[in-house]
Each structure stands twice: as structure tokens, then as C-alpha cells.
Amino acid sequence: MSETSTESGATAVASLQTQLTDALGDAIAAAYPAQSGADPLIRPSDHADRQANAALALAKKVGASPREVATNVTERIAVGDVVGQVEISGPGFLNLTLTDAALWRQVEARRAGARLGVPPVAAGVRTVIDYSGPNIAKEMHVGHLRSSVIGDALARILTFLGSDVVRQNHLGDWGTQFGMLIQYIDEHPEKPWRHTEITATDADGENASTVSALDGLYKAARAVFDTDPEFADRARARVVALQAGDEATLATWRDIVKESQYAFDEVYARLGVQLTEADSAGESFYNDMLDGVAAELEEAGIAVVSDGALVVLSEEVTGPDDEPVALMVRKRDGGYGYDTTDLATIRYRIRGLGADRILYLVDSRQALHFRLVFEAARRAGWLDPERVQALHVPFGSVLGPDGKPFKTRSGGTVRLMNLLDDAVAAALTVVREGAEAKGTEVDDDALTLIAEQAGIGAVKYADLSGSRVKDYVFDVARMTAFNGNTGVYLQYAHTRMVSILRRAAERGLTVPEHVPAAVETPLEAAERGLILTLDAFADVLAEVAVDLEPHRLAGYLYELSRAFTDFYEACPVLASEGTVRDRRLAIVDLTRRTLATGLDLLGIAAPERM
């Protein structure tokens, strides 16, 4: 049976890989009972639908040659329903050919439901995902791209797989810098910073948004603070007022947060990231919890006083001096820093949000910090590894064409909006040239929409298509190309599928709901290859749920698009007839739905025209 019912009522479809693993596992157990549970090592093959390599691994264990093991296992494989033919090749490889009936059952089963047969493997798990995390009154820049894009993809995928996902945008919204900024704003009411007051003023983007205006005001405040002792005193007094809850000071601070959130929302909307104000929980949210965290750790003997400060000395990590590395809980002056805030955060996410799994999408440079935070949380009894999993999900950097961290020509940080503008502009050129080459007329509004979808999709796919722990080069020319492993290539493949189905509808043809006689004519090689690729969708998503590597899904969608291209070139759809045409329309429809679903899980648009 390839279908199973889940607790959520969805119909899950066991992949052919799973069915073959079970069938070969049973055959191995029958031939060699002591090796029951051995992995059949089923892999793709150039000589058959799949290849099993277990005989080579088992030979030494059972004291026989690989070919003898292969023969004994082959004799016990049930042939007929799923496996149509088994051939032994080389030193003991098993080449497996699946039956057309088994292949088509998978197509029909996956077409039957909106979930495409994907089981909710993460159901019942509450996952808290911490991602993006810009600073209030600061422009979102290239350094926020990877956390936002990767975190959003993981949130989408885990939600699709049934997890109860809680998004958390840990904003930097508290600290002494706000006293300085608020004081400067109060003393210079003529300077605009609310979104209703500002407009873009120059090509470099100064005052192009609320946060860029606020950032400019902060720099001005910093300059005055460093040169005017009286202003410095007033700014320090404003910090005290902010921390003491002075209403006038808090009112301005709330406005700064609100205006910054407005600017962040613009970036998220354009980037297609599913974060809203409701997901924001900045450092200020935990401010009232810090005293309690410090007291709890000190009373438990986990935090100790060292040189006037309260610290947690690691039992796992030592520094260059062979002394334990310290996590700062309370500074000598009685203040708290982000170490304490992160301790309060993890405690709240476990106790307040009821997390089963906590993911921190923060760059790889923070690995030691999170190791120390997780250790302290375990020792405090907040983080029970048997019940709650806390993971730092690191990622590499975005590099410029020179292979160094991406900067502007002047050496400054690249605004995220500017980066997106560059990608959309490059996509517009590519799309326009493509339309002109095909002699297709596209109106300006449609062209603008296509370029926006292609440009944003290109940026996100370039980020997601490689392992998150690796750096990657931001190259708009490469990432917006129609050929190669790019988001544009995948989007174009989707439009080709839509075009086939559109032209079929124009001829009065519909995709049959059920194609029972689809295999009266043997499936062609390109059909088999595409069906096998389609069938791997659920397995790939399950892998992402475990290793948190969205590039597995991106790579799968690229392979799916390539398999579709092979099918498109070898198997005429509209020019075929009868059940062959019906089954090919069904294959195109399932491929389109799978690709569109996969792109959506990566946060990338699936356009219908390009």
C-alpha cells in the first residue's frame, strides 16, 4: 500500500524510495536474518530506475562474495507489484526496474490531495523560530538578508509539515543609544523622521526611509554627544528616564519603534517574508525579566560574582588562558547586556511559549555565544534536552564579486532595499530581452510585475540554493540568468507548464481527475524519470525538517525542472492522443503543482507568464 492515513486526516503517500527500502529490507532479512534492519542503500541509477548497493556492504559481514549476496537477496525480492525486474550487475549491484503500474499509482495518489501526499511529519511540535532581528532606528542591510530569507523558508516548510510555528523577530529596541537619540529628537523637532514627513532626497538613499532618517539623527546625536558635555549629561539623564519609565520619554521611544516597524514591514512585504508586527518581540519585551533571571541563576549557584560582575562560568568551554569562558549575567555597574536578554529569552520561550524546538537563525560568528547560553539554560533546568531542542542555525556571509564581505563602493553597508532594486533592474533587462527575442509584446505593468517576481526570486534562490553554512557571492547577472541553477530558470519552467495547460484548455481539453488506463501504453524513459523525481518531494521536505537545510528543497526543485525539460523535449503532450495525452496532461499538472508548492515554501513567486 502506498497510502496511509495520518492523525490530521491528510492522506500521506509512501514514496517509492520508502517502498523499495521496505521490500529490499524484507528480502535481506529473509536471506540473512542476522542482518535484519540493514540499509539496502538504494540510489539513483543510469542503468535502471534505482540501484541497491547493500550486497557490497553485507558481503564481509556474512562471509560471502558480493555477487553471492546479491543473488540470495534477489531470489527473495517480491517481483510483480512494485519491482518489475531485478538484474545483478558488476560486483553485486542490484538494478531495479519499477512497474509502470507502481509508478502511475504514485502519480494518481499525489494528485488526489492538496498536500500532494506529503505527510505532516512535524505535527504536534511547537517550533519557535528566531530570525531577521534588525535594530530599531537602523536601516535593514545586506547583513539581515540571510537570516530573514532562510528563517522564513524554514518557517514555511515546518508549518507545511504540520509544526505549530511561532515566529519571533528579536528586535534591537533597547539600550543607552535610545536615550541619546530621543534627547536629540526632542531638541531638534524640525528634523523629520516619521514616514509621513520624509521622502527620498538623493541617489545614495539618505532619508529614503524612516530608519535611514533616524539613523542619520543618531549619527548627529553621537557627534554632539562626543563634543558637547552638557548634551552628553542630558542624554545620560534621558537614558535614566527611559529605564525608569518616564511617560514622555517612552512615548517618543514607542514612536521610534512604530516608525521603524513600518519601514521593516515595507522590506518584508517586498521580500515576501512572513513577519509582521505581531511577531516582534524586542529586547525591551524581556527587560522586566532580567532581575528575575539573575536572581534565579545566583540562587541556584550557577551564576557567581567575579570581579564585581555576576557571571556564569562555563563547564564546557575554556579560553586561550585555559580558564572557563564567562557569560555575563550582570555587569559591575548593575546593568544588563544581551547575554542576560538571551537567557531571559530562552527561558520565556520554554516556559511562556511552550516550545518543543527553538531555532536561532543567527550568523555563524555567534556560535560560542549560543553554546554558552544553551549550557547555562541546561544547568538552570530551563532547557531539558529530553523535552526541548534548542539549536543555533548558523549561516555564512554574503560576499561581493571580489570575494570579500559585500560593501558599497565607499565601504559602507549595503541597504537591503538597494540590493533588491539592483536585482529587479537586472531581471527587468533579462525579461525584456527575452520577450523581444521571442517577438512577444508585454505591457509595462506586466513587465514590471514579472521583473519584480523574477528579481526578488533570484535573490532568495541564490541565498537558498547553497548550504546555509557557506558564504556566497552576490552576482545579479548570474542569479537572474534564464539558464543554469537560478530562481529565474525555475520560474520559467513553471510558466512553461502553465502554458501547456492553458493551451490545452483553449482546445477544450481538461486534465482528467483520474487516469485509470494511463499505462496501457508503456511509460517512456522521460516520463519515468519525471515521475520518480516528483515522488521524492515528501522525502526531501522530511530531510529539511531534520537538518534545517533549505538548499535540499532548492536543489530538488532544480532537478524537478530539469526532469520536466527532458520530458517536455521527449514527450509531446498536446500532439499526443487518447490515454497517452491524458496521462501527460496529468503529469504536467502534478509537476506544476509540486513546483509551485516548493517555490512557495521557499518564499518565491511562481509566475504564470515571463
Side-chain angles (χ1 to χ4, degrees):
M1 294 293 291
S2 63
E3 297 185 12
T4 58
S5 295
T6 67
E7 290 183 4
S8 65
T11 299
V13 180
S15 68
L16 289 166
Q17 179 80 9
T18 298
Q19 295 178 52
L20 285 175
T21 298
D22 291 344
L24 270 292
D26 290 344
I28 290 170
Y32 302 100
Q35 302 303 318
S36 179
D39 187 347
L41 300 175
I42 296 171
R43 303 290 186 267
S45 172
D46 294 330
H47 308 290
D49 291 327
R50 289 290 183 266
Q51 178 177 283
N53 302 337
L56 282 72
L58 290 172
K60 289 185 179 180
K61 296 179 180 180
V62 301
S65 70
R67 199 165 181 91
E68 182 183 347
V69 173
T71 300
N72 288 337
V73 171
T74 298
E75 290 173 351
R76 290 165 175 80
I77 295 175
V79 174
D81 181 35
V82 176
V83 180
Q85 184 178 349
V86 184
E87 292 183 349
I88 302 174
S89 69
F93 300 119
L94 299 184
N95 290 334
L96 308 169
T97 300
L98 300 165
T99 65
D100 282 6
L103 288 167
W104 196 254
R105 277 200 304 270
Q106 296 300 102
V107 173
E108 290 287 86
R110 294 195 182 281
R111 290 180 63 217
R115 293 185 55 81
L116 306 172
V118 178
V121 294
V125 177
R126 169 161 274 211
T127 305
V128 175
I129 305 184
D130 180 328
Y131 64 107
S132 192
N135 291 319
I136 292 297
K138 297 287 184 179
E139 195 83 59
M140 285 189 72
H141 54 75
V142 65
H144 296 111
L145 176 64
R146 302 213 69 190
S147 177
S148 301
V149 169
I150 298 170
D152 183 64
L154 289 176
R156 289 168 179 262
I157 291 167
L158 294 175
T159 298
F160 183 72
L161 292 176
S163 180
D164 176 15
V165 172
V166 180
R167 294 167 170 82
Q168 292 279 276
N169 196 358
H170 192 75
L171 302 175
D173 67 350
W174 198 250
T176 57
Q177 70 272 23
F178 287 100
M180 186 188 307
L181 176 59
I182 292 169
Q183 186 63 34
Y184 188 83
I185 286 173
D186 275 5
E187 294 183 9
H188 296 83
E190 77 284 358
K191 296 192 175 184
W193 53 276
R194 292 176 174 83
H195 73 273
T196 54
E197 303 168 338
I198 63 175
T199 59
T201 58
D202 58 50
D204 293 327
E206 183 182 354
N207 287 354
S209 70
T210 291
V211 285
S212 60
L214 285 167
D215 194 24
L217 292 176
Y218 173 74
K219 291 174 181 176
R222 179 84 245 183
V224 177
F225 184 90
D226 292 339
T227 58
D228 184 343
E230 293 184 357
F231 175 80
D233 289 341
R234 294 196 299 275
R236 293 189 187 97
R238 183 69 73 164
V239 173
V240 174
L242 176 64
Q243 294 174 341
D246 175 69
E247 188 52 43
T249 302
L250 281 175
T252 303
W253 173 81
R254 292 190 191 102
D255 282 349
I256 293 171
V257 172
K258 181 179 179 180
E259 291 294 334
S260 298
Q261 184 72 55
Y262 178 88
F264 299 156
D265 287 347
E266 286 187 314
V267 177
Y268 294 142
R270 190 175 189 197
L271 198 54
V273 167
Q274 295 179 334
L275 278 174
T276 67
E277 184 177 357
D279 304 312
S280 295
E283 294 171 346
S284 62
F285 179 80
Y286 304 98
N287 194 50
D288 292 341
M289 307 178 193
L290 303 184
D291 285 340
V293 165
E296 188 172 343
L297 291 172
E298 188 171 20
E299 289 170 6
I302 296 165
V304 297
V305 176
S306 175
D307 196 20
L310 186 67
V311 300
V312 175
L313 298 176
S314 176
E315 296 178 347
E316 301 174 2
V317 185
T318 56
D321 57 359
D322 291 329
E323 293 296 321
V325 175
L327 189 69
M328 181 68 66
V329 178
R330 188 173 59 232
K331 301 175 185 178
R332 294 185 186 92
D333 62 4
Y336 298 109
Y338 67 87
D339 285 356
T340 325
T341 300
D342 281 348
L343 287 168
T345 300
I346 193 169
R347 187 182 72 166
Y348 171 76
R349 289 172 178 172
I350 295 169
R351 292 180 177 177
L353 296 180
D356 300 304
R357 196 183 196 194
I358 310 172
L359 310 180
Y360 291 83
L361 273 293
V362 183
D363 74 65
S364 54
R365 293 171 295 181
Q366 297 298 315
L368 175 59
H369 169 70
F370 283 106
R371 182 176 177 182
L372 296 174
V373 169
F374 296 162
E375 179 196 345
R378 287 193 302 271
R379 289 168 61 188
W382 308 333
L383 178 60
D384 177 0
E386 297 295 320
R387 188 177 62 82
V388 181
Q389 182 184 42
L391 294 172
H392 173 214
V393 185
F395 49 83
S397 300
V398 181
L399 307 178
D402 59 359
K404 298 178 180 179
F406 204 180
K407 300 286 185 180
T408 62
R409 290 183 180 179
S410 62
T413 303
V414 180
R415 290 179 65 238
L416 188 47
M417 274 297 201
N418 287 354
L419 182 147
L420 299 180
D421 287 341
D422 290 344
V424 170
L428 180 61
T429 299
V430 171
V431 173
R432 181 183 286 118
E433 290 175 351
E436 290 173 352
K438 292 185 294 184
T440 304
E441 291 188 8
V442 184
D443 65 67
D444 289 343
D445 289 343
L447 196 61
T448 298
L449 174 61
I450 293 170
E452 184 76 13
Q453 292 176 326
I456 301 301
V459 170
K460 299 180 82 169
Y461 187 79
D463 193 305
L464 295 167
S465 57
S467 175
R468 57 175 162 74
V469 298
K470 295 181 179 179
D471 300 340
Y472 78 95
V473 174
F474 191 90
D475 182 343
V476 292
R478 184 192 61 78
M479 66 176 58
T480 56
F482 271 105
N483 298 316
N485 188 8
T486 68
V488 177
Y489 174 73
L490 270 61
Q491 290 176 317
Y492 183 60
H494 182 265
T495 65
R496 293 171 79 179
M497 299 170 203
V498 171
S499 177
I500 292 172
L501 298 173
R502 183 189 300 120
R503 284 184 283 126
E506 290 170 353
R507 299 183 188 186
L509 303 173
T510 59
V511 180
E513 183 176 342
H514 184 52
V515 190
V519 290
E520 289 179 356
T521 303
L523 293 168
E524 295 191 20
E527 291 176 296
R528 301 177 71 85
L530 181 52
I531 291 170
L532 284 165
T533 306
L534 284 165
D535 197 56
F537 185 48
D539 289 346
V540 169
L541 291 178
E543 291 176 5
V544 177
V546 173
D547 63 22
L548 306 174
E549 284 279 13
H551 83 272
R552 297 191 185 280
L553 175 57
Y556 166 80
L557 296 179
Y558 176 59
E559 292 303 319
L560 179 64
S561 298
R562 290 183 60 190
F564 173 77
T565 298
D566 292 342
F567 164 83
Y568 180 81
E569 294 174 350
C571 303
V573 179
L574 300 182
S576 57
E577 298 179 347
T579 57
V580 172
R581 183 176 61 200
D582 285 348
R583 84 184 184 208
R584 289 179 180 171
L585 282 171
I587 290 171
V588 172
D589 181 57
L590 178 59
T591 307
R592 186 206 66 76
R593 290 173 57 198
T594 304
L595 180 56
T597 299
L599 287 171
D600 183 66
L601 293 178
L602 295 179
I604 297 173
E608 297 193 354
R609 297 180 186 273
M610 289 190 76

